[in-house]
Amino acid sequence: MKKKGKGSDKFDAKEFLKTHNVIWAPSPRQQAMMHRPEFEALFGGSAGGGKSDYLLVEALRQVHIKYYRAVILRKTFPELEDLISRSKELYGGAFPRAKYNESKYVWTFPSGAKIYFRNMQHEQDKIKYQGRHFDFVGFDELTHFSWDEYNYLFSRTRSSGPGLRAYIRATANPGGPGHGWVKARFITAMKPETPIMEKTPIRDPAGNIIETESDRIFIPSSLFDNPDLMRNNPHYLASLAMMPEAQRNALLYGDWDSFSGQVFEEWKNDPDGYDTQQWSHVINPFRVPDGWEIIRGYDHGYAKPFSIGWYAVDYVGCIYRIRELYGMKKDSPNVGIKIEPEAVAKQIRAIEETDPNLKGRRITGIADPTIFAKDRGESIADIMAKVGVYWSPGDNHRIAGKMQYHYRMAFDEHGRSMFYVFRSCPEFIRTIPNLVYDDKNVEDVDTKQEDHIYDECRYVLMSRIIAVRKNKEKPLPLEDPLDLYKEERERRNRIIRI
């Protein structure tokens, strides 16, 4: 309905609501997401922002077209139940003649269009979608999926008929096994609400270069952007506020650097400490003194990335990661470059013959014990030895190795750690802070993640075991006239009364 008089072409939403039965109306953040034209878009970043409702309604956009096919995915089937239940309210209300098949988990609309609800609990489940095609692919809680699972559905996203648009939409909170790749692809790649353009050259059968272009974007949303939930469930905000700090920051504020289940909560990357080596594990590179020991770590990979790290050990036993070589396919997290061990060994030799911190040094190699296996012929260790790269088997005790990380990452009262990483090692800095715990083996790292650098470094740390060290917190400024540290001060002084 339009207003009369001046500006009569303006839509009057309040008047419309008085005269129409509105089943659902988007919040401003949901509306911003629905306006996006990019092929990929991620919505959310914190709890209560209306993510699931948005995804369900977005899937309806083209149901008036007979050929339209859409799929909405969760990691496990039980997680789909709430989505299906909510779809019965929204879809059944908006399209009374639409039918839901309880056994096949699919909505069929009067036009003939279909929306499927599916899960992908195991990575091999992606093969179930081979030969299928969808105009709309929706991932609910994207951080529960691996990059391979998400990327595979790209090939399934194509138009089913004339007049249809093919695109992908996803929702997410910080945390989960896929936290690292989702953060790298959508959060840190560009400022929120800024399109990310990516060009990829490919060759056609005639050898001509064709440059393809794709785009994606992140649209943040939080509980504070969902007035209906705040009004209908006023205790929800209080529930989130009472959670542990990391979980609260992730779910309430969408903090992608602090999240529930994070293994190494003590990890710090603070530019203020790059030169001083205080209260930061990441530091500026420097010339390694000649008397320091050099260690090389190796975790084998082929279809998955291999990882090689070089470490310097100072006179008091502090370990510095000074260089890395990571065999990951470009822009494809956790996907290996598939090169043979001999080729990897030659790259190692080339680096050690030219890097000023490595050239001419005696280097001790410590590797994944599996590379010494000879049950299928010549071992990987023997193949590399022929090129002049030698290894000793590392200690593969997983829990003890994880604890060595904690002991070394702990800061003393002066802000000094027993483990540092040069800023020139971006893959370590990218992957280690994003590791989460395994849901079943709760003391161990989830091995479904991109954990190759973690394992490689773990072998090195287990070769130089240290005693327990307790982590100290950085002192707060004595004077804080702007209350910049008020929340942190209250957290440290909080008293729980029983």
Side-chain angles (χ1 to χ4, degrees):
M1 183 170 290
K2 298 178 180 179
K3 291 183 177 180
K4 295 181 181 180
K6 188 175 180 180
S8 60
D9 59 341
K10 187 176 181 180
F11 178 75
D12 189 337
K14 291 183 179 179
E15 189 63 29
F16 183 86
L17 291 173
K18 292 178 183 178
T19 56
H20 292 75
N21 178 28
V22 177
I23 297 169
W24 182 87
S27 68
R29 288 282 79 196
Q30 290 169 329
Q31 198 168 21
M33 181 69 172
M34 298 182 86
H35 284 162
R36 298 313 310 178
E38 290 80 12
F39 175 66
E40 297 172 73
L42 176 68
F43 185 53
S46 60
K51 302 184 298 296
S52 297
D53 262 20
Y54 155 75
L55 199 65
L56 288 167
V57 173
E58 182 66 53
L60 290 173
R61 189 183 288 270
Q62 302 178 92
V63 294
H64 60 286
I65 301 176
K66 176 181 179 180
Y67 310 102
Y68 177 66
R69 298 292 183 268
V71 62
I72 296 176
L73 295 151
R74 281 297 302 257
K75 189 61 179 169
T76 67
F77 184 78
E79 293 169 329
L80 279 172
E81 291 178 354
D82 286 345
L83 280 175
I84 292 172
S85 177
R86 180 59 172 153
S87 77
K88 292 177 180 178
E89 299 174 12
L90 294 173
Y91 295 1
F95 297 89
R97 291 170 52 212
K99 303 294 183 183
Y100 179 68
N101 189 312
E102 296 282 355
S103 62
K104 296 184 177 179
Y105 315 110
V106 58
W107 279 93
T108 302
F109 294 85
S111 67
K114 296 180 184 295
I115 297 178
Y116 299 87
F117 288 90
R118 295 290 185 265
N119 70 297
M120 199 184 294
Q121 184 167 359
H122 307 290
E123 191 158 318
Q124 61 266 30
D125 290 344
K126 67 188 181 184
I127 305 301
K128 295 188 298 186
Y129 301 96
Q130 192 170 8
R132 303 291 301 275
H133 57 86
F134 302 99
D135 305 281
F136 174 81
V137 175
F139 287 87
D140 197 31
E141 298 299 347
L142 185 59
T143 55
H144 294 183
F145 295 84
S146 71
W147 163 253
D148 284 348
E149 291 163 344
Y150 179 70
N151 187 46
Y152 184 80
L153 266 294
F154 280 33
S155 65
R156 307 297 97 202
T157 310
R158 62 179 188 270
S159 177
S160 303
L164 285 166
R165 171 191 174 197
Y167 62 111
I168 296 173
R169 293 294 179 263
T171 70
N173 292 326
H179 176 98
W181 75 261
V182 173
K183 178 183 175 182
R185 186 165 186 81
F186 290 99
I187 311 303
T188 58
M190 195 68 71
K191 291 181 180 179
E193 302 188 57
T194 306
I196 304 164
M197 305 299 296
E198 188 172 1
K199 295 182 179 180
T200 306
I202 61 172
R203 290 184 182 274
D204 66 14
N208 301 311
I209 298 293
I210 301 173
E211 193 169 74
T212 63
E213 189 174 274
S214 62
D215 51 3
R216 60 185 184 273
I217 197 168
F218 168 56
I219 303 295
S221 179
S222 72
L223 173 60
F224 305 105
D225 299 315
N226 191 348
D228 288 340
L229 181 58
M230 294 275 282
R231 181 173 57 254
N232 297 331
N233 193 347
H235 301 294
Y236 187 54
L237 176 60
S239 298
L240 293 178
M242 289 188 292
M243 287 182 167
E245 182 182 16
Q247 197 169 358
R248 181 183 71 240
N249 289 345
L251 294 180
L252 189 55
Y253 303 115
D255 184 353
W256 287 80
D257 294 321
S258 175
F259 54 92
S260 177
Q262 184 178 22
V263 176
F264 299 113
E265 295 181 359
E266 58 269 73
W267 169 263
K268 292 290 183 286
N269 181 359
D270 185 353
D272 289 342
Y274 286 176
D275 287 324
T276 65
Q277 299 182 11
Q278 290 179 296
W279 308 110
S280 178
H281 295 105
V282 181
I283 61 173
N284 285 324
F286 56 83
R287 180 71 169 86
V288 175
D290 292 339
W292 289 14
E293 181 185 10
I294 303 294
I295 304 174
R296 181 201 322 116
Y298 176 47
D299 186 63
H300 175 66
Y302 183 77
K304 297 293 186 181
F306 65 80
S307 177
I308 298 156
W310 285 268
Y311 301 83
V313 185
D314 70 13
Y315 301 119
V316 297
C318 183
I319 294 180
Y320 301 76
R321 183 181 177 92
I322 61 175
R323 177 137 188 185
E324 64 184 16
L325 176 62
Y326 194 53
M328 185 188 81
K329 186 178 179 181
K330 183 181 178 182
D331 299 325
S332 299
N334 213 18
V335 179
I337 56 176
K338 297 182 179 180
I339 63 173
E340 299 294 336
E342 182 180 357
V344 175
K346 289 179 178 178
Q347 289 189 39
I348 293 172
R349 285 291 302 270
I351 289 171
E352 293 180 351
E353 290 170 359
T354 56
D355 188 302
N357 276 330
L358 303 175
K359 186 178 180 180
R361 303 263 194 160
R362 179 180 177 182
I363 299 175
T364 302
I366 302 172
D368 176 356
T370 63
I371 73 167
F372 296 89
K374 298 183 179 183
D375 53 336
R376 297 182 181 178
E378 192 175 22
S379 72
I380 293 170
D382 288 341
I383 292 172
M384 289 187 157
K386 291 179 178 178
V387 186
V389 175
Y390 303 97
W391 304 101
S392 296
D395 185 335
N396 200 20
H397 194 293
R398 297 190 59 82
I399 305 303
K402 183 181 77 71
M403 295 311 299
Q404 283 298 308
Y405 268 98
H406 290 302
Y407 301 157
R408 284 192 172 274
M409 284 187 180
F411 292 109
D412 64 17
E413 63 273 17
H414 305 294
R416 288 285 302 174
S417 169
M418 287 294 285
F419 180 78
Y420 292 98
V421 181
F422 280 11
R423 288 177 62 196
S424 52
C425 297
E427 299 301 336
F428 187 102
I429 296 167
R430 176 179 68 85
T431 58
I432 296 300
N434 295 327
L435 294 174
V436 299
Y437 283 105
D438 191 297
D439 287 337
K440 296 179 180 178
N441 189 3
V442 295
E443 291 298 325
D444 199 3
V445 169
D446 189 334
T447 58
K448 296 188 294 295
Q449 305 167 93
E450 194 174 356
D451 63 346
H452 318 292
I453 291 176
Y454 166 77
D455 285 340
E456 165 254 296
C457 181
R458 179 165 55 82
Y459 304 138
V460 172
L461 300 188
M462 284 296 288
S463 74
R464 301 294 184 275
I465 292 175
I466 63 171
V468 177
R469 298 174 70 249
K470 298 293 185 181
N471 191 46
K472 304 291 185 182
E473 292 184 315
K474 184 178 181 179
L476 298 177
L478 296 177
E479 296 185 5
D480 184 23
L482 299 179
D483 277 341
L484 298 177
Y485 298 91
K486 180 181 178 181
E487 182 179 343
E488 178 64 14
R489 192 180 300 109
E490 290 175 348
R491 181 188 70 80
R492 296 189 187 183
N493 296 328
R494 186 177 297 141
I495 297 176
I496 300 176
R497 301 188 183 278
I498 301 175

